[in-house]
Amino acid sequence: MPAHDSAAATPTPLMMANAVRALSMDAVHAARSGHQGMPMGMADVATVLFTGVMKYDAADPQWPDRDRFVLSAGHGSMLLYSLLHLTGVPGIGMDEIRNFRQWGSKTPGHPEYGHTPGVETTTGPLGQGLATAVGMAMAERHLAARFGEDLVDHRTWVVAGDGCLMEGISHEAISLAARLKLDRLTVLFDDNNTTIDGEATIAEIGDQVARFKAAGWAVKRIDGHDFGQIRKALAWAKKQRMPSLIACRTRISKGAGRKEGDPHSHGYTLFDAEIAEAREAMAWTAAPFEIPEPIAAAWREAGAKGGGARRKWAKRLKRSHHRDDFERAVVQNKLPAGAFAGLDAHVAKMAETGPANATRVHSGAALEALVPAIAEMIGGSADLTGSNNTFVKGMTAFDAPDYDGRYVHYGVREHGMAAAMNGMALHGGVIPYSGTFLAFADYSRPAIRLGALMGVRVIHVMTHDSIGLGEDGPTHQPVEHLASLRAIPNLLVFRPADAVEAAECWRVALEAQFTPSIMALSRQKTPAARTVPSAENLCARGAYELAASTVGAARVSLFASGTEVAVAMAAREQLQAAGVGTRVVSTPCWEIFDLQDDLYQIETIGAAPVRIAVEAGVRQGWTRFIGEGGGFVGMTGFGASAPYERLYKEFRITAEHVTELAWAKLEA
Ligand SMILES: Cc1ncc(C[n+]2csc(CCOP(=O)(O)OP(=O)(O)O)c2C)c(N)n1
């Protein structure tokens, strides 16, 4: 690396990149943890991107028409934090860099959305960032079609490493992006042939560039330390009609003396002597956490470069006839006025007519009232549209070249789909929902978890929610899924019992602006539970008394969700006929019930001496309602392949079993 005196002369791109290197080294050294290898390796590429290519204004990291930058290789967080600091993002002063990875800092170990201004998405679980970026690029194209390119005209840039591209989710993400021709998406591959265990080739024989090409991407290989090649490649990417990959051949820990290129420097904290050697190699004379003023000024200037474009954009928005809608939907992420007028009418009709049907069908009917009223909703399915009831008549496919369609054919890509939905919601202006089977929530789970951590409004429709799906058998029958999803913080798991509840749950999910939701829905028919109109959205309480005792004080409280509410209601009939006061509590969403005040919770759980829960899943978690000594009727193992009526009988999820258990407890 040629020597430069970092304190003098007009800063060259290399000197500016070395500022990123120095900060990354210093921060990791101070924290005695973290990764400077990747930030040092990609500093040159990132410097060209942030000083001359990307559209952004550091002063306003929320500007809706900014280019999105996603650091999929989230362990290299110091690359991003250095860039945010150097370009002048408000709130990311040098103290934040000094406090890298410390309690209360804005610079956590991995980038966290909502925690650090300028961080577009939470990354760290490798591959997620790349797949999330696909969703951002989808949202951009859709909103450009809706509002016009004078308001929406930006790109999505991703830095991904060997790890991201080894992860399976990358396959789903890149094939979906290619199919949708997301030409505003560029992946900058940190092609350093290094992972934690050593050279990537100890576990990889494939050619990533050839893989992307085969998937349908425009591809290019460059030397990631040659500023001319980087510049040309980024300009090339902007001209492609397909998503583009630039494989940037880099050396990990570039600039770090003898550690440069050493595979073991991935997450290695440099010793003092090694840092001194690196500073010498880079001719970096400034003290730790100090940036020579000419370099700092050049970075600030780069960060402010987009200010003019942003102000012009703001003027265009002011004049636009889309202004109100854009501000509501994209800037504030608010629902339109009258979003639920159709749904309210539907609920009233359902309470009156009480149709028996599968809750997936009821959900589809709710969507028929919602999708036309809320233009931000973009639906889809992982190739199970007919089963998930996610398609509403009149929707058209989201596809090139005209991206105004609102239905995404995600293909059989549950993980990529869930991550893309996170990206769409993060982008803003879109409320994504999509479908698969509940048993395959496991395929989406890493993205569901990240969505919950980030607090994004995405709605996962998950049908075929129990052994009630019948003949497909135990591979497809969720048993532990409700419990395992309920274990994820900040995730609403809805399991409605009928048409009214399905509609009510949809409303709550849509109103939860900072929380993702699961809509667990049945394949099989179930009778209506709510046949008396109610002015209140009872599901917005999470759990509520559906039927009180009519034969004196309740001696038995039955708790159930979804299709098992009908089982509980039938058991109540039997018990009450025998003179046992019995009430039924429907529990469509536990997480919301937990938010109710103590009095409501105590009253809803009630004082009956016998408490029994019914759910066609495992018992885990039900103690919440029935206590340690309560009875449970549900599953204790995997299901089986047979018609569902037979399965309910064989696994004893029946009114008779509930009644029997109640008597045993009453007489105990
Ligand atoms: C899903 C997931 N698995 C494992 C890890 C742990 N991990 C962090 S970085 C890394 C290696 C990544 O290699 P690469 O992307 O090439 O990064 P580089 O070594 O070049 O910094 C691993 C395995 C992770 N963060 N996410």
Side-chain angles (χ1 to χ4, degrees), residues 545 548-556 572 576 579-583 608:
E545 186 179 82
S549 160
T550 52
V551 287
R555 290 162 67 198
V556 176
R572 172 176 171 271
Q576 295 224 125
V580 179
T582 302
R583 56 196 284 276

Side-chain angles (χ1 to χ4, degrees), residues 38 75 124-126 161-164 167 190 192 194-196 252 266:
M38 183 268 171
H75 58 281
L126 296 172
D162 294 287
C164 290
E167 290 289 353
D190 179 20
N192 63 7
T194 302
T195 61
I196 293 178
I252 196 158
H266 158 96

Side-chain angles (χ1 to χ4, degrees), residues 23-110:
L23 287 182
S24 301
M25 262 187 338
D26 291 342
V28 171
H29 188 250
R32 295 285 187 274
S33 88
H35 308 77
Q36 82 279 308
M38 183 268 171
M40 293 181 83
M42 282 299 276
D44 298 329
V45 173
T47 297
V48 176
L49 183 66
F50 274 74
T51 56
V53 179
M54 231 170 82
K55 177 167 88 166
Y56 70 104
D57 178 6
D60 183 1
Q62 302 284 342
W63 173 25
D65 201 27
R66 69 193 180 279
D67 281 7
R68 304 312 198 253
F69 176 76
V70 173
L71 184 71
S72 191
H75 58 281
S77 55
M78 267 313 303
L79 177 72
L80 181 50
Y81 301 149
S82 302
L83 295 164
L84 298 178
H85 168 74
L86 290 165
T87 54
V89 170
I92 312 296
M94 191 61 92
D95 278 354
E96 297 298 342
I97 304 295
R98 277 183 216 279
N99 284 327
F100 178 50
R101 291 184 158 232
Q102 304 309 305
W103 178 260
S105 79
K106 294 264 177 251
T107 48
H110 294 83

Side-chain angles (χ1 to χ4, degrees), residues 389-474:
N389 298 72
T390 40
F391 182 81
V392 170
K393 224 168 116 195
M395 287 178 116
T396 55
F398 170 86
D399 201 0
D402 189 2
Y403 291 98
D404 68 351
R406 292 169 60 195
Y407 197 81
V408 184
H409 293 288
Y410 285 101
V412 192
R413 300 186 181 101
E414 295 85 0
H415 196 180
M417 172 173 81
M421 289 205 295
N422 286 344
M424 292 160 96
L426 286 166
H427 180 282
V430 171
I431 304 173
Y433 73 90
S434 75
T436 185
F437 289 161
L438 182 60
F440 307 143
D442 291 339
Y443 276 55
S444 315
R445 191 176 175 93
I448 295 173
R449 180 176 192 271
L450 267 194
L453 175 59
M454 293 190 280
V456 291
R457 176 174 44 193
V458 306
I459 302 166
H460 303 268
V461 172
M462 298 204 156
T463 65
H464 296 55
D465 68 352
S466 75
I467 54 165
L469 65 86
E471 294 84 346
D472 271 349

